[in-house]
Amino acid sequence: MTDTYPSGAQNDGMRNTIIEAARELFAKFGYKKTTMEDIAQALRKGKSSLYYYFKNKEEIFQAVIEMEEELLFSKLHKVVDSENDAKSKLREYIITRMETIHQLENYLKALKDDMLGGYEFFGRLKTKGEKEEAKLLIQILEEGTADNTFQVKNVPMAAVAFATALKGLEVPLFKSQNNFDDFKVQIENILNILFYGLIKR
Amino acid sequence: MTDTYPSGAQNDGMRNTIIEAARELFAKFGYKKTTMEDIAQALRKGKSSLYYYFKNKEEIFQAVIEMEEELLFSKLHKVVDSENDAKSKLREYIITRMETIHQLENYLKALKDDMLGGYEFFGRLKTKGEKEEAKLLIQILEEGTADNTFQVKNVPMAAVAFATALKGLEVPLFKSQNNFDDFKVQIENILNILFYGLIKR
DNA sequence: ACATGTTTCGACCAAAAAAGTCGACAAAAA
DNA sequence: TTTTTGTCGACTTTTTTGGTCGAAACATGT
């Protein structure tokens, strides 16, 4: 087979099993300190079995990060597709975003590592996520502008500005993984300031 | 200097600093996955500086385990030296023992690793701990026998039997590090059974 | 029963990582 | 100024790890 790995229904099962096991180990020890032997032992298999399903270690890690990004956007889509008004949606979007990223230890570590060169696959993944996030933010801002909750002249540009600000909020998550409640209070404060500037008066 | 390492007041400071930093890293990653570079970076020093204070990596780990054993027995001594009656002391001793061992992640890991060959220094440390524990249990049992709370014919032998039973209780700690509250309920149940057999009727 | 496809893994190799050493240097103390 | 203490970059040696390969076991099809 030419650089493709078994992905029929049967083997998706084993691939997903490997990804789940790897995910826990990467979360606990990090990418570097987790060995292929660790992952294999967690599955009670030989190390070389992993290479039947994945090309290499980084590909397993990529699959873990893709899964975690998928989880993140699944949650964000639920927020955007809810029946709430635009203001509530935006608030919920930001809180859900930061909270979920905080929980997805591997995704968070990958974001952090990316600042120092990170992984080959991560650039593409990040770009894809940024585009998806822009779409979601545009959707919320357009809803708010349509019903006059928000006063935004250039929605796409505002969405980009928002997304950039959200990235800045990621930095505190790199340092402290404990007091998210404190961080949440901070987010609420920032939201109030943001809304004061956005809500029509 | 001939195989001794600086241990004057000044350098005990640096040794203890190294031990504390190492302790956190060993607890988080385990002995094997923690590198000398990790420890050095945590202290913002060069890796070879560590070899000024310690002979090798295992000696650092030994110092960590000695410190944790010292913490354990310090707590146990407080229990035995309290003014409580023998029955309360025995109960408190067992709970404090299991709870503290549960908290001392490195000591617990060393106990676990010891079953698989473990570390060169650990045998001596364990023997020393067993002797000290026997003394403490004898003290409690003698107090209880003297005031007729317990009915024990051969106190030293009973102490050894107790210590052996306590070791058996360590095994559940190896597997689950989460629900200690459940484990504590189990301990209470076992204590009641033990007391029924011990308390004079 | 045999052939084919799928999955597993022990042995191995090359590369990378890590433990540990050494000599030079800086800083502190005498 | 000399001696002692402490630091660390460069290096060596040892160990670990990622990854490969061929053989074997297992499952499936004919």
Side-chain angles (χ1 to χ4, degrees):
Chain A
M1 55 193 48
T2 71
D3 253 65
T4 64
Y5 289 79
S7 54
Q10 182 100 349
N11 294 324
D12 266 358
M14 182 52 74
R15 274 178 67 92
N16 286 337
T17 300
I18 291 170
I19 290 168
E20 283 292 346
R23 185 186 182 205
E24 288 187 34
L25 289 162
F26 285 138
K28 185 174 179 181
F29 297 121
Y31 176 76
K32 203 176 170 197
K33 287 186 186 293
T34 299
T35 68
M36 295 292 273
E37 182 64 28
D38 286 338
I39 299 169
Q41 278 189 357
L43 299 166
R44 285 173 165 61
K45 287 190 178 299
K47 180 181 63 171
S48 32
S49 295
L50 303 179
Y51 293 92
Y52 184 75
Y53 298 95
F54 292 91
K55 181 177 162 58
N56 53 31
K57 181 183 178 186
E58 184 163 329
E59 197 179 87
I60 297 177
F61 188 62
Q62 176 178 341
V64 165
I65 298 304
E66 284 174 355
M67 179 229 253
E68 294 199 349
E69 193 178 57
E70 178 66 25
L71 284 173
L72 170 65
F73 279 100
S74 170
K75 286 195 169 192
L76 295 179
H77 269 285
K78 277 183 185 134
V79 168
V80 175
D81 295 340
S82 73
E83 299 295 319
N84 291 332
D85 60 274
K87 185 186 165 190
S88 298
K89 278 187 181 180
L90 192 54
R91 172 192 298 272
E92 192 66 22
Y93 180 96
I94 294 173
I95 289 175
T96 299
R97 183 195 194 276
M98 306 320 296
E99 195 163 44
T100 307
I101 288 180
H102 181 251
Q103 283 164 1
L104 300 173
E105 294 184 70
N106 292 306
Y107 192 77
L108 182 56
K109 272 169 181 159
L111 281 174
K112 189 173 179 177
D113 288 344
D114 190 57
M115 296 171 71
L116 309 171
Y119 310 91
E120 175 137 345
F121 66 87
F122 198 69
R124 298 190 303 276
L125 223 68
K126 216 170 86 166
T127 299
K128 176 179 161 246
E130 281 162 2
K131 282 175 182 165
E132 192 159 354
E133 168 147 85
K135 281 186 191 176
L136 293 176
L137 288 171
I138 284 172
Q139 186 174 329
I140 296 176
L141 292 179
E142 283 186 340
E143 280 179 27
T145 301
D147 68 12
N148 269 336
T149 306
F150 299 151
Q151 192 171 273
V152 179
K153 290 214 168 52
N154 188 334
V155 164
M157 189 159 284
V160 169
F162 245 104
T164 304
L166 289 176
K167 279 185 190 340
L169 280 176
E170 285 164 8
V171 176
L173 294 183
F174 295 157
K175 292 164 192 148
S176 153
Q177 278 168 304
N178 299 323
N179 48 352
F180 187 79
D181 288 328
D182 289 352
F183 183 64
K184 203 170 173 179
V185 170
Q186 270 194 329
I187 295 177
E188 289 287 355
N189 289 339
I190 290 165
L191 278 171
N192 287 332
I193 293 166
L194 271 172
F195 284 151
Y196 191 77
L198 278 183
I199 292 171
K200 205 168 195 172
R201 50 187 187 280
Chain B
M1 55 191 51
T2 70
D3 254 62
T4 65
Y5 288 78
S7 55
Q10 183 100 351
N11 293 326
D12 266 357
M14 182 51 74
R15 275 179 64 95
N16 286 336
T17 301
I18 293 171
I19 291 169
E20 283 292 348
R23 183 186 183 205
E24 287 187 33
L25 289 163
F26 286 139
K28 186 173 179 182
F29 298 120
Y31 175 77
K32 204 175 173 199
K33 287 184 187 295
T34 298
T35 69
M36 294 293 272
E37 182 64 29
D38 287 339
I39 299 169
Q41 280 190 355
L43 300 166
R44 287 171 166 60
K45 286 188 177 299
K47 180 182 64 172
S48 32
S49 298
L50 302 179
Y51 293 93
Y52 183 76
Y53 299 94
F54 291 91
K55 180 176 163 58
N56 54 32
K57 182 183 177 185
E58 184 163 331
E59 198 178 85
I60 297 178
F61 190 61
Q62 177 177 342
V64 166
I65 299 304
E66 284 174 355
M67 178 229 254
E68 294 199 349
E69 194 177 57
E70 178 66 26
L71 284 173
L72 170 65
F73 280 100
S74 169
K75 286 197 170 190
L76 294 180
H77 270 286
K78 276 183 186 131
V79 168
V80 174
D81 295 339
S82 73
E83 299 296 318
N84 291 330
D85 60 276
K87 185 187 165 192
S88 297
K89 279 186 180 181
L90 192 54
R91 172 192 298 273
E92 194 65 22
Y93 180 94
I94 295 172
I95 289 176
T96 300
R97 182 196 196 275
M98 306 320 297
E99 195 163 43
T100 307
I101 289 181
H102 180 252
Q103 283 164 1
L104 300 173
E105 293 184 70
N106 293 306
Y107 191 77
L108 184 56
K109 274 170 180 158
L111 280 175
K112 190 174 181 178
D113 289 343
D114 189 57
M115 295 171 71
L116 308 171
Y119 311 91
E120 177 136 342
F121 66 87
F122 198 70
R124 298 192 302 276
L125 223 68
K126 217 171 86 166
T127 301
K128 177 180 160 241
E130 283 162 0
K131 282 176 181 161
E132 191 159 354
E133 169 148 84
K135 280 186 191 175
L136 293 175
L137 288 172
I138 284 173
Q139 187 175 329
I140 296 177
L141 292 180
E142 283 185 342
E143 279 179 28
T145 302
D147 68 13
N148 267 336
T149 307
F150 300 150
Q151 191 171 272
V152 179
K153 291 214 168 50
N154 187 332
V155 165
M157 186 159 286
V160 168
F162 245 103
T164 304
L166 291 175
K167 279 187 185 345
L169 281 175
E170 285 164 7
V171 176
L173 295 183
F174 294 157
K175 294 166 190 146
S176 151
Q177 275 166 306
N178 299 323
N179 48 352
F180 187 78
D181 287 328
D182 288 353
F183 182 64
K184 202 170 173 180
V185 170
Q186 271 195 326
I187 295 177
E188 290 287 354
N189 288 337
I190 290 166
L191 276 170
N192 286 332
I193 293 166
L194 273 170
F195 285 149
Y196 192 77
L198 277 183
I199 292 171
K200 203 167 196 173
R201 48 188 186 280

